[in-house]
Amino acid sequence: MASPFARIVAGPLGRALATRNARIFFGASLGAWTGLWMHRIGVAWLAWELSRSAAWVGLIAFADLAPAVLVSPVAGALADRVDRVRLTMVSQGVIAAEALTVAALTATGGISIGLLFALELVSGSAASFAQPARQTLIPALVGRDDLPAAVATNSLLFNVARFIGPGVAGAVIAAWGVAPAILCNALGQSFASLSMPWLRVDAAQRRGHPATSSLLAETLEGFRYVARHPGLGPIIAFSAATSVLLRGVQEILPPYVERLFGRGAESLAALTACFAVGALVSGLVVASRGRLAGTTRVAVLAILAQAAATAAFVATGAFPVAMLCAALIGAAASAHGISVQVLAQTAASPAMRGRIMSLWALVTRACPALGALALGTAGEAFGLRLPTLVAALLAVGIFAWGLSRMGGIARQLEAPKETP
């Protein structure tokens, strides 16, 4: 009898990777994301070395993620009206150039905390264009029935990279310093950018629609579409609120590692890998469901589990227990993220997909940045433990609201769609 893992690979995930386009796209994504996680670990540790301040580490995470507040909505509208393949190439090329610059300045001693902040703003802005452009291409890789599996595969590979990248980064930083770890991101992003012309994507899938009005008007139209949608509006608002409260911990790990557990870069990499292992296992389980029914329930209940695991993470002083809690946090966050992406990709009309995905990028990038900034600042005044526990408690309150709306959201987002 085949193992559960073999059934998953041969089933939904196997179908998601069955096409040439999907293998090229997801293979390049894995390389880019591995470099991205090496970059994040390297930059976080570099910021800590330069400043010895949890607030500055939070600011650097904020610089990478916060541009999504201003850029992502416009980027989504742009992805709905321009060549998505070319937009992805250009934006990932900018990310590669920024990583190369940070690595060179670090290696030559020319980096400062202020310059690092400015460069991360550039990278974060470019990533805000890359994310919706790449995600809107996913429906072009597979058929509609396999879209949930493709979205799950996308998230799974992100978490595979999240497992590989920090472990490699920790070893590289310990042996050769921060610069080589950041340089790997330049290589990974360059490869991903150069692989995009290999995709054979129909012209209709490369562009969302011809421009019908100004870019600003189409951007605002995306906000109105989500706000008025009885399913998308509540689930995205729910995810945004809980991301602010719970995701910041993962963005400013160095101060937690040193101040709560008295450990260094190797333990930072190990803890980040635990987040990734939990996310990977959870992602495989969610992907194996292979159906839309019940996805809203998974998205909502996962937040309660994430809040509980986050509280336990900061309450313990034992690093092995913290590693277990990190795995549980990663598992819950992955289950929630995959579920919301599946619901959003399935419910969004093709002409609006770029704008919907840009709002999801806003949730996954800007909201954790805001949470990281708040936790880092509060951590300087009150220590890291108390603000994190308060955030977890507030997240339980948001969960209760989501639970009360769960049935209505499910009816709107999980109902079968007629094939046009």
Side-chain angles (χ1 to χ4, degrees), residues 11-398:
L13 298 188
R15 295 195 305 272
L17 294 171
T19 67
R20 172 185 176 277
N21 276 347
R23 290 191 293 271
I24 292 172
F25 182 89
F26 289 127
S29 296
L30 180 59
W33 286 331
T34 300
L36 170 68
W37 279 105
M38 294 183 70
H39 182 102
R40 285 188 175 179
I41 293 295
V43 165
W45 196 253
L46 176 61
W48 182 245
E49 286 184 334
L50 289 171
S51 67
R52 313 305 295 182
S53 165
W56 261 115
V57 176
L59 274 170
I60 295 301
F62 183 80
D64 176 46
L65 302 175
V69 174
L70 297 176
V71 175
S72 284
V74 177
L78 193 64
D80 277 337
R81 64 195 291 180
V82 304
D83 188 318
R84 292 160 174 168
V85 172
R86 291 182 180 176
L87 180 59
T88 302
M89 287 185 65
V90 171
S91 54
Q92 289 191 308
V94 173
I95 297 171
E98 186 271 349
L100 181 62
T101 302
V102 173
L105 289 172
T106 302
T108 58
I111 195 70
S112 67
I113 193 68
L115 184 55
L116 181 62
F117 180 84
L119 288 168
E120 289 300 291
L121 280 174
V122 173
S123 177
S125 298
S128 295
F129 282 95
Q131 186 169 350
R134 286 188 70 85
Q135 288 186 324
T136 51
L137 288 171
I138 293 177
L141 308 177
V142 298
R144 179 181 174 84
D145 291 344
D146 292 328
L147 180 58
V151 173
T153 299
N154 193 58
S155 182
L156 281 174
L157 292 179
F158 181 79
N159 286 298
V160 169
R162 190 179 179 184
F163 173 70
I164 298 171
V168 175
V172 169
I173 292 170
W176 299 291
V178 170
I182 296 173
L183 180 62
C184 288
N185 189 37
L187 298 175
Q189 297 292 338
S190 296
F191 173 75
S193 178
L194 294 173
S195 72
M196 293 304 292
W198 299 345
L199 296 177
R200 298 168 184 166
V201 181
D202 291 340
Q205 295 283 3
R206 288 178 73 117
R207 293 177 183 268
H209 62 84
T212 56
S213 58
S214 70
L215 190 62
L216 177 59
E218 292 191 1
T219 300
L220 295 176
E221 183 185 3
F223 279 106
R224 287 193 295 268
Y225 179 85
V226 171
R228 294 171 180 171
H229 196 291
L232 285 174
I235 197 66
I236 289 180
F238 174 75
S239 190
T242 54
S243 290
V244 171
L245 294 169
L246 298 176
R247 289 289 300 278
V249 172
Q250 299 179 56
E251 304 300 332
I252 57 167
L253 274 180
Y256 285 92
V257 171
E258 185 163 304
R259 291 185 177 178
L260 296 186
F261 306 108
R263 292 171 176 259
E266 294 85 351
S267 294
L268 172 66
L271 199 58
T272 307
C274 287
F275 283 112
V277 169
L280 181 60
V281 172
S282 173
L284 283 168
V285 172
V286 174
S288 70
R289 297 179 70 247
R291 63 185 186 277
L292 194 60
T295 301
T296 305
R297 177 177 293 275
V298 174
V300 172
L301 295 180
I303 291 301
L304 179 61
Q306 188 177 353
T310 299
F313 173 77
V314 295
T316 184
F319 191 70
V321 176
M323 292 174 69
L324 175 61
C325 291
L328 294 175
I329 292 171
S334 177
H336 173 78
I338 292 174
S339 298
V340 175
Q341 285 184 75
V342 168
L343 293 168
Q345 287 270 28
T346 305
S349 66
M352 297 294 298
R353 188 172 286 128
R355 280 162 282 186
I356 302 304
M357 288 299 98
S358 73
L359 292 180
W360 176 244
L362 195 66
V363 169
T364 58
R365 294 182 62 79
C367 293
L370 182 60
L373 181 61
L375 282 177
T377 303
E380 291 298 309
F382 305 106
L384 291 167
R385 205 168 257 124
L386 179 60
T388 309
L389 288 171
V390 170
L393 182 61
L394 291 173
V396 173
I398 300 297

